[in-house]
Amino acid sequence: MDFEPWEDGVAFEIAADARLPDDPGTVPGYLAALETGLREELAAVGAARGVRVAVAVVVRGIRIHEVDSRDRSFREAGRVAVRNAVHRLYGPPPRPKRKA
């Protein structure tokens, strides 16, 4: 997954050369869950930093396990991907100060 600059808002797209499973019946639901997680976390990051988020998210591939994959897992994966991208861009979040 890549995060690229965008004019305004959040764009979610799948790369033309994306590696997707052969089973077309399950992919749209998991992609929708992934997009939901991405959008939720991007909104939270924007609100926390007081900025409008402008980014294009390009999915390069996903893997689905026929037994263990769940919508919730893909939603959380989207949230974690945003956190990792923000961490790379801005560094780790500030740590809470200990009480003396």
Side-chain angles (χ1 to χ4, degrees):
M1 185 173 325
D2 293 332
F3 292 83
E4 301 172 355
W6 195 246
E7 294 96 27
D8 189 32
V10 177
F12 182 80
E13 58 188 62
I14 299 159
D17 61 343
R19 292 168 297 162
L20 301 175
D22 293 332
D23 182 9
T26 59
V27 174
Y30 291 132
L31 287 173
L34 180 67
E35 181 178 5
T36 299
L38 288 162
R39 288 185 183 276
E40 288 173 351
E41 193 66 20
L42 286 167
V45 166
R49 295 186 179 270
V51 297
R52 289 184 50 105
V53 176
V55 65
V57 181
V58 182
V59 175
R60 301 285 176 197
I62 63 170
R63 292 183 190 168
I64 296 174
H65 188 274
E66 58 190 46
V67 175
D68 295 329
S69 291
R70 304 274 184 270
D71 287 346
R72 183 174 178 200
S73 300
F74 277 83
R75 183 174 167 204
E76 185 61 26
R79 296 182 74 102
V80 169
V82 171
R83 287 185 213 133
N84 289 341
V86 169
H87 182 268
R88 285 188 202 137
L89 186 61
Y90 297 111
R95 297 183 69 176
K97 296 185 180 190
R98 292 185 180 183
K99 294 181 181 179

